[in-house]
Amino acid sequence: CPSQSISLILFLSISPGSTSDSHYKAPNCVFFLTVGLARAKSNSFTHRGELRKAKRIVVKLGSAVVTRGDECGLALGRLASVVEQVAMLQNQGREMMIVTSGAVAFGKQRLRHEILLSQSVRQALHSGQNQIKDMSVPVFEARACAAAGQSGLMALYEAMFTQYSTCTAQVLVTNLDFHDDQKRWNLNSTLQELLRMNIVPIINTNDAVVPPPEPNSDLQGVNVISIKDNDSLAARLAVEMKADLLIALSDVEGLYDSPPGTDDAKLIDIFYPGDQLSITYGTKSRVGIGGMEAKVKAALWALQGGTSVVIANGTHPKVTGHVITDIVEGKKVGTFFSEVKPAGPTVEQQTEMARNSGRTLAALHPEQRGEIIRHLANLLVEKKEEILAANKMDMDIAVNAGQLSSALLNRLSLSPAKLNSLAIGLRQIALASRDSVGRVLRRTRVAHNLELEQITVPIGVLLVIFEARPDCLPQVSALAIASGNALLAKGGKEAANTNRILLELTQEALDIHWVKEAVQLVSTREEVEDLCRLDEMIDLIIPRGSSQLVKNIQSAAKGIPVLGHSEGICHVYIDSEAAIDKAIKIVRDSKCDYPAACNAMETLLVHRDILRTPLFDQIIDMLRTEQVKIHAGPRFASNLTFSPSEVKSLRTEYGDLECCIEVVDSMQEAIDHIHRYGSSHTDVIVTENEDTAERFLQQLDSACVFWNVSSRFADGYRFGLGAEVGISTARIHARGPVGLEGLLTTKWVLRGDGHTAADFSEQGTMEYLHENLPVTQPQPRQIHSS
């Protein structure tokens, strides 16, 4: 820092070197020293994603984090996890500092142990087992415990950090060290030098001598802070040392809008200055003297000084081992303090709005939901000039950036023809929506005057994540509306302008029945992994994009079901009785029509009998004409003198003008190969033998199995579903192209007349009938205009 360097030079030039010399009291010296150490106002990070840039980090470990549940001794497992993470970040080139509690607990354990050992053998022998068991442990004074435990705590840190070849140094401070300019300068200089030498300072208040906290002293500006607890100490050090980030770990997940554990208490993701007036604080933790109110005040003080702050849980067994690194990576952990409040709602607020409005949407009459979708279809045509203008902006940005492949640019691009096709598909969905939600699937007379129905209902809140495919937004919106589901859509930044106009049109259509907020577009900088953690708000995640995107989401979504497929390894099997013209036509379309699609052929299986026939030669010639790069499977390569490059893996999704060719001896071998190397997406047989085809269709366990048809037909629009939210290869209720039906679940409705379970006991008067009744659909309700 230039200001600090200048003040240090001025100070050294006028001081003779003795700490007791009167020059240190000169007004000018104090003035320059204070200017040098006081942190100039700097900008803290405004978004979690920027935390990856943090160079200097202070980690504050609360008493509840480092102390065992019995408050006597340290939680060694948690402490080891913290040390590992801090050492990892230190080895990445960051400057790490730890503000720690634990000396009192460590000393209490040590003193108890010493007292028990100091008892004479005679006392132990004559006391009796019962007396030993009931013997009370003396209450120790905290300062004595701190004095006894400080050295042991530091030795423990040194031993743990040594495992990672990281050196540590102990720094004990008191409140007075920050009120005296000379001591402040010495502390700052010491810490700067330790960091320069790649040493992790372990900092704590000197509890053996520290005076009682001042009850009426509080945080009073950038240069005045009462070191009442380790929260205020960490905040003061972070500002003094110009730290980029302060991580305060305690025994709660973060800051809640009401005391944790109370009904409707919600974790606050981002906290802004001024919000403290709208929250209620609970009790303090079982140990420590800070409490959440002290943490918030210290955090806001540090934020004012230019240091970003995150308060998070350092005791949760499932996250302790990576909570610090997760925060530094920008993941949504704990409460992040930011000075800049975004103009729009948070993603949590968007999800809540979508859920509430979605419930109203589900309660609408099917014809009303169909009316919304038809209105959206009309808007796509009427407003096509505005849509195409926004899409041109996205295309120009993408082309100039030069980071998208031709396949992705093709997906990003919209045209009048695409919009017309979209509108047609939406009208199909509107038609299908008439008998979707509330459809009776089963009726049973359980007993006299006791009837049970199973009816279709929406799943709830859908999170659809799609890449550079703006046409996906109106498609999935229409499917969500038709099925009565709320929708949270996360589109790729490449289509930001197009997505924005399409969302406006979607919400305009929804607003004709006052459910505008049922569809939300996540346009903030939320990471996909953060969205996948909203397991209490989102009911189903549907990824639309590359296999890598789907894999990442499936890995990140621990508590939310994911509907989709990670790979599209599709096969076309040419049987020995295949017709030449059909085989060539189907192979060309399956591979060359749109090679980037998930339903494009990746492996061509050929029966051995057609290897050296005109059919096989024509297939090879066609692929070469289409500039398809061919990779040979092991068995195919063994049959050729000069073969193409041998495939590295038979389980490869090329997504381009490339494919693998492999030889099989029979239809059954083709099935076995597909089961072993396929992804259960879409697989095709080309044959004129109906018996062979039927056995293939029955025995192959893929989501889509075709006979004499291109694999490219695996699509919701081509299936007549209007559109699809994705293609599922999972073994759940929806497989293959998932349209309206796949977005519904069921609930059971039981209508009785005062029935109780006791009525059907041995002493009861009623018997179960369990009679199947004809399924009749409910009569349409009267549609009101308001």
Side-chain angles (χ1 to χ4, degrees), residues 391 394-395 404 407-414 418 422 464-476 489-496 498-499 502 521 543-546 549 565 594 596-599 712 714-718 723-727:
N391 186 246
D394 290 328
M395 288 293 295
L404 294 185
L408 287 178
L409 285 173
N410 188 35
R411 288 185 178 184
L412 177 61
S413 173
L414 290 181
K418 272 190 178 182
L422 269 176
V464 178
I465 302 172
F466 53 97
E467 293 177 321
R469 297 187 62 169
D471 55 333
C472 181
L473 182 55
Q475 286 179 335
V476 297
K490 169 67 172 172
K493 63 180 182 296
E494 301 86 359
T498 315
N499 286 337
L502 290 174
L521 179 67
R544 294 283 302 269
S546 66
L549 170 71
H565 64 282
Y594 191 2
C598 62
N599 57 14
R712 293 280 291 120
D715 176 81
Y717 178 77
R718 296 185 176 105
E724 65 185 39
V725 293
I727 293 182

Side-chain angles (χ1 to χ4, degrees), residues 94-142:
R94 305 180 197 267
E95 297 175 340
M96 305 297 298
M97 292 179 279
I98 295 179
V99 176
T100 183
S101 302
V104 174
F106 197 94
K108 185 186 294 185
Q109 180 189 40
R110 186 173 180 181
L111 290 178
R112 283 185 179 182
H113 184 67
E114 290 298 324
I115 285 180
L116 290 175
L117 288 179
S118 67
Q119 292 183 14
S120 68
V121 175
R122 186 186 301 272
Q123 289 173 317
L125 289 174
H126 290 284
S127 62
Q129 281 299 113
N130 292 333
Q131 292 184 13
I132 290 179
K133 187 180 297 184
D134 299 335
M135 185 174 54
S136 60
V137 178
V139 177
F140 300 108
E141 204 276 335

Side-chain angles (χ1 to χ4, degrees), residues 619-776:
I619 290 175
I620 296 297
D621 290 342
M622 179 274 295
L623 291 174
R624 286 174 175 166
T625 301
E626 297 288 343
Q627 298 184 330
V628 177
K629 183 178 180 180
I630 297 173
H631 303 276
R635 298 180 68 180
F636 179 46
S638 66
N639 283 272
L640 302 174
T641 305
F642 301 100
S643 69
S645 61
E646 188 167 340
V647 69
K648 295 180 180 179
S649 170
L650 290 169
R651 189 182 175 86
T652 301
E653 182 178 18
Y654 297 100
D656 206 344
L657 286 174
E658 294 182 67
C659 73
C660 169
I661 297 180
E662 183 57 310
V663 175
V664 293
D665 292 330
S666 65
M667 181 270 292
Q668 188 58 52
E669 267 196 20
I671 291 176
D672 294 341
H673 178 101
I674 295 170
H675 281 163
R676 182 174 182 182
Y677 299 109
S679 61
S680 301
H681 191 295
T682 301
D683 299 291
V684 178
I685 182 173
V686 182
T687 184
E688 296 302 299
N689 187 312
E690 183 176 352
D691 180 63
T692 300
E694 288 300 328
R695 286 190 288 125
F696 184 89
L697 297 178
Q698 292 173 16
Q699 295 179 31
L700 189 60
D701 186 23
S702 295
C704 299
V705 188
F706 298 165
W707 171 25
N708 285 349
V709 174
S710 167
S711 63
R712 293 280 291 120
F713 274 92
D715 176 81
Y717 178 77
R718 296 185 176 105
F719 277 13
L721 305 178
E724 65 185 39
V725 293
I727 293 182
S728 172
T729 56
R731 263 67 175 175
I732 56 175
H733 72 293
R735 292 190 78 197
V738 179
L740 181 56
E741 295 293 326
L743 299 181
L744 297 171
T745 184
T746 64
K747 72 177 179 183
W748 297 90
V749 177
L750 186 62
R751 297 180 177 90
D753 187 20
H755 294 75
T756 65
D759 295 334
F760 298 87
S761 65
E762 291 184 3
Q763 293 78 29
T765 59
M766 300 195 72
E767 294 182 355
Y768 289 112
L769 299 176
H770 293 146
E771 296 177 0
N772 291 328
L773 298 176
V775 173
T776 57

Side-chain angles (χ1 to χ4, degrees), residues 326-399:
D326 279 355
I327 290 171
V328 176
E329 288 172 8
K331 296 180 181 178
K332 187 170 287 190
V333 179
T335 299
F336 171 66
F337 286 71
S338 175
E339 288 189 298
V340 181
K341 195 165 188 175
T346 66
V347 68
E348 289 83 3
Q349 292 170 331
Q350 283 186 287
T351 309
E352 191 69 28
M353 289 189 294
R355 181 181 289 280
N356 294 336
S357 194
R359 285 170 176 155
T360 305
L361 173 68
L364 294 177
H365 188 276
E367 182 57 35
Q368 291 174 307
R369 289 192 294 271
E371 185 182 355
I372 293 172
I373 299 169
R374 286 192 296 272
H375 188 49
L376 176 56
N378 294 336
L379 287 173
L380 292 178
V381 177
E382 294 170 9
K383 305 285 187 178
K384 65 180 179 182
E385 297 301 329
E386 296 177 35
I387 299 171
L388 295 176
N391 186 246
K392 185 179 185 304
M393 293 172 59
D394 290 328
M395 288 293 295
D396 291 343
I397 293 171
V399 170

Side-chain angles (χ1 to χ4, degrees), residues 522-648:
V522 181
S523 56
T524 59
R525 297 167 58 184
E526 299 293 333
E527 299 291 341
V528 168
E529 189 167 334
D530 292 333
L531 295 173
C532 292
R533 297 186 184 197
L534 301 177
D535 56 306
E536 295 183 0
M537 308 175 74
I538 295 171
D539 300 295
L540 180 66
I541 301 177
I542 304 172
R544 294 283 302 269
S546 66
S547 60
Q548 190 58 50
L549 170 71
V550 179
K551 287 178 181 177
N552 291 343
I553 292 172
Q554 289 173 334
S555 174
K558 304 298 183 183
I560 310 175
V562 178
L563 189 153
H565 64 282
S566 59
E567 294 174 302
I569 304 175
C570 304
H571 295 73
V572 174
Y573 165 58
I574 309 297
D575 187 55
S576 59
E577 298 179 67
I580 293 179
D581 56 339
K582 291 180 184 177
I584 295 173
K585 187 177 180 182
I586 289 170
V587 171
R588 177 190 286 114
D589 191 73
S590 296
K591 178 71 263 184
C592 307
D593 176 62
Y594 191 2
C598 62
N599 57 14
M601 181 194 78
E602 305 295 359
T603 298
L604 175 63
L605 299 176
V606 295
H607 194 286
R608 184 176 297 278
D609 290 350
I610 67 168
L611 259 187
R612 292 177 174 82
T613 65
L615 169 58
F616 183 73
D617 293 340
Q618 290 181 46
I619 290 175
I620 296 297
D621 290 342
M622 179 274 295
L623 291 174
R624 286 174 175 166
T625 301
E626 297 288 343
Q627 298 184 330
V628 177
K629 183 178 180 180
I630 297 173
H631 303 276
R635 298 180 68 180
F636 179 46
S638 66
N639 283 272
L640 302 174
T641 305
F642 301 100
S643 69
S645 61
E646 188 167 340
V647 69
K648 295 180 180 179

Side-chain angles (χ1 to χ4, degrees), residues 270-341:
I270 306 178
F271 192 76
Y272 308 96
D275 286 355
Q276 64 265 36
L277 300 177
S278 63
I279 61 174
T280 305
Y281 297 102
T283 58
K284 297 178 181 179
S285 66
R286 57 179 173 81
V287 291
I289 62 173
M292 185 54 72
E293 187 172 7
K295 290 176 175 57
V296 172
K297 290 182 177 180
L300 291 174
W301 189 88
L303 189 67
Q304 180 188 5
T307 296
S308 295
V309 183
V310 175
I311 296 177
N313 192 336
T315 65
H316 197 297
K318 292 185 178 180
V319 299
T320 301
H322 48 80
V323 60
I324 298 173
T325 52
D326 279 355
I327 290 171
V328 176
E329 288 172 8
K331 296 180 181 178
K332 187 170 287 190
V333 179
T335 299
F336 171 66
F337 286 71
S338 175
E339 288 189 298
V340 181
K341 195 165 188 175

